[in-house]
Amino acid sequence: MLSFTVKRSAKCFFQQKNCLSSFNVIYENYGDPRKVLVGREREIQPLKDGQVLLKFLASSVNPADINQIQGVYPIKPSMPAVGGNEGVATVIETKSQNLKVGDWVIPALAGSGTWRSHAVFNEKDAIKIDNSLPLESAATLSVNPCTAYRMLMDFERIDEGDVVLQNGANSAVGQAVIQIATDLRIKTVNVIRDRPRVENLKRFLFDMGADYVLTEEECKTQLSDILRKESAPKLALNCVGGMSATNFLKYIRPKGTMVTYGCMSKIPFKASAASLIFADITFKGFWMSRWNDENNQSAERYRTLDYLSSLIKKNKLKCPPVSKVPLEKFPEAIENAMTEFTTHKQLLV
Ligand SMILES: NC(=O)c1ccc[n+]([C@@H]2O[C@H](COP(=O)([O-])OP(=O)(O)OC[C@H]3O[C@@H](n4cnc5c(N)ncnc54)[C@H](OP(=O)(O)O)[C@@H]3O)[C@@H](O)[C@H]2O)c1
């Protein structure tokens, strides 16, 4: 009997009579996540062949999750929708040939809703990962480190000693870029926003392998000299937009590439005619969700996850500092995630 098995092995969030239910953070309309998200108990249906019952162990709150709920993101799930796109779950009941009880999995595709205590997944919608990873790293593996790795791999051939320039360098993606680049012996020039006690943040990024860390303001006086001493970057990574990205264009090597993967300032950047005509810079975008759609279950996807997992196990790739918030206290995590200059990734546990 499903209900008894789960009761023994899973400490299910809710269990009433013979019916299991899961706690879900859902929204029925787009809007301010602080207003539209509600907690709902939902019944769990018995498993069919090829399905697994998952207990979510930890799920992250990323900027894209917020945008999705605001209705300004291209993923538009049918309503009511469960929030969250990233997290790690353990299999607690299985009717799958490939997944067994105790395996750890991440959702194969975005939009599957990870802010819930339990879920039934088709086995093809779950990707098994190493269950000896630290929980926080496993829960934050599939979006930001994968994005960082693919951007370093897929746009320019970057050799040892080459320089990559990035803004939003203290973001979770930026931190992963620094650590992966360090492993690959690629140098990083990292741009952050100024703030009180900025030296602490610089030290934090240097400690994880950053070669240079500059505030946006310091770029104006120091970036040229640094790149003259090193080499002009073939690749620049932009998640900020606005003047930050516009200013990058004069530093990128002719025929180099700027990859835009976010726009945290919500301000478009301007590409000068010179950057197009004389420098012939290529402007590309990257979206991990699309890459996953196009590479779902591919050998390259597993290689990416294996490489990143091995870095985590060697202590060369740490997840950003996290705040663990119980799932039922999701409003606290959402509020924290939407606060400016936040230093901790929110994890619903
Ligand atoms: N395209 C993709 O596939 C993909 C995948 C992952 C992430 N992303 C995007 O990458 C970005 C970073 O995501 P994350 O999870 O790494 O973020 P995160 O850890 O929450 O960090 C947010 C970053 O954005 C900066 N920021 C926030 N508001 C800003 C503003 N008004 N102007 C300039 N910078 C601002 C923060 O800098 P401060 O510390 O100065 O506030 C911080 O560096 C987001 O835009 C996210 O949607 C895209």
Side-chain angles (χ1 to χ4, degrees):
M1 288 288 291
L2 180 63
S3 56
F4 291 117
T5 313
V6 170
K7 188 177 182 186
R8 268 202 322 272
S9 61
K11 296 194 191 103
C12 205
F13 192 81
F14 289 105
Q15 182 155 14
Q16 301 166 343
K17 298 189 182 149
N18 282 330
C19 116
L20 273 176
S21 51
S22 150
F23 182 79
N24 294 238
V25 179
I26 66 152
Y27 54 108
E28 295 184 84
N29 297 295
Y30 294 122
D32 183 339
R34 289 167 287 210
K35 295 187 181 143
V36 298
L37 288 172
V38 288
R40 287 273 187 280
E41 198 183 330
R42 273 183 178 174
E43 198 175 312
I44 291 179
Q45 302 302 318
L47 296 186
K48 297 180 188 142
D49 284 345
Q51 291 187 322
V52 285
L53 177 60
L54 302 179
K55 173 179 165 53
F56 275 93
L57 302 172
S59 302
S60 58
V61 181
N62 286 317
D65 303 328
I66 302 295
N67 296 153
Q68 192 171 314
I69 298 161
Q70 290 165 331
V72 296
Y73 201 67
I75 295 176
K76 310 268 185 216
S78 53
M79 301 287 178
V82 180
N85 290 289
E86 184 182 42
V88 62
T90 185
V91 175
I92 58 171
E93 189 81 36
T94 181
K95 282 201 170 185
S96 151
Q97 302 294 318
N98 304 316
L99 293 171
K100 59 182 194 306
V101 170
D103 284 347
W104 279 15
V105 297
I106 55 175
L109 298 174
S112 45
T114 54
W115 298 348
R116 47 180 156 172
S117 63
H118 299 80
V120 173
F121 267 45
N122 295 319
E123 61 185 347
K124 69 174 177 46
D125 296 329
I127 291 187
K128 185 176 162 181
I129 61 161
D130 186 335
N131 64 1
S132 66
L133 295 177
L135 180 66
E136 297 83 353
S137 296
T140 54
L141 170 66
S142 61
V143 175
N144 295 324
C146 289
T147 299
Y149 180 68
R150 294 303 346 159
M151 291 195 300
L152 289 171
M153 289 295 117
D154 292 348
F155 293 93
E156 288 284 348
R157 186 193 150 145
I158 312 284
D159 297 315
E160 279 188 21
D162 281 347
V163 171
V164 170
L165 177 64
Q166 64 162 344
N167 59 21
N170 61 320
S171 67
V173 177
Q175 291 181 35
V177 166
I178 292 169
Q179 294 173 88
I180 296 164
T182 301
D183 183 61
L184 301 173
R185 296 172 211 258
I186 297 166
K187 294 190 175 178
T188 55
V189 177
N190 300 283
V191 181
I192 56 175
R193 290 198 293 178
D194 200 5
R195 70 203 63 224
R197 297 180 296 283
V198 71
E199 291 309 320
N200 292 346
L201 177 56
K202 287 187 175 184
R203 175 56 38 216
F204 175 70
L205 298 177
F206 283 132
D207 285 349
M208 68 178 63
D211 294 280
Y212 300 92
V213 185
L214 301 173
T215 63
E216 295 281 358
E217 199 58 29
E218 287 167 343
C219 282
K220 292 178 193 158
T221 53
Q222 297 178 35
L223 190 51
S224 297
D225 289 345
I226 289 170
L227 296 179
R228 207 170 298 122
K229 190 174 115 201
E230 298 289 348
S231 58
K234 283 184 208 161
L235 179 67
L237 305 176
N238 163 43
C239 73
V240 172
M243 281 311 292
S244 176
T246 302
N247 287 335
F248 271 8
L249 299 183
K250 52 182 179 280
Y251 300 108
I252 299 171
R253 192 184 291 192
K255 291 194 168 289
T257 301
M258 182 160 82
V259 179
T260 293
Y261 66 99
C263 188
M264 291 303 291
S265 71
K266 298 191 169 67
I267 301 170
F269 63 86
K270 289 183 186 159
S272 64
S275 68
L276 291 160
I277 301 168
F278 306 121
D280 196 11
I281 290 169
T282 299
F283 295 87
K284 297 286 285 184
F286 179 76
W287 191 27
M288 196 69 227
S289 301
R290 179 183 293 121
W291 192 91
N292 286 339
D293 278 342
E294 292 170 357
N295 293 274
N296 191 12
Q297 309 292 350
S298 70
E300 190 56 27
R301 189 169 190 195
Y302 282 97
R303 259 198 300 276
T304 300
L305 291 167
D306 285 349
Y307 166 71
L308 295 170
S309 299
S310 77
L311 283 194
I312 292 168
K313 288 172 86 162
K314 285 186 243 168
N315 218 14
K316 290 180 164 187
L317 176 60
K318 295 192 183 112
C319 69
V322 298
S323 291
K324 291 185 188 168
V325 179
L327 183 62
E328 322 85 85
K329 294 194 176 165
F330 65 90
E332 186 183 316
I334 300 300
E335 187 65 50
N336 292 342
M338 294 180 73
T339 304
E340 267 218 315
F341 296 113
T342 180
T343 53
H344 284 58
K345 185 67 73 189
Q346 303 297 304
L347 269 195
L348 293 167
V349 292

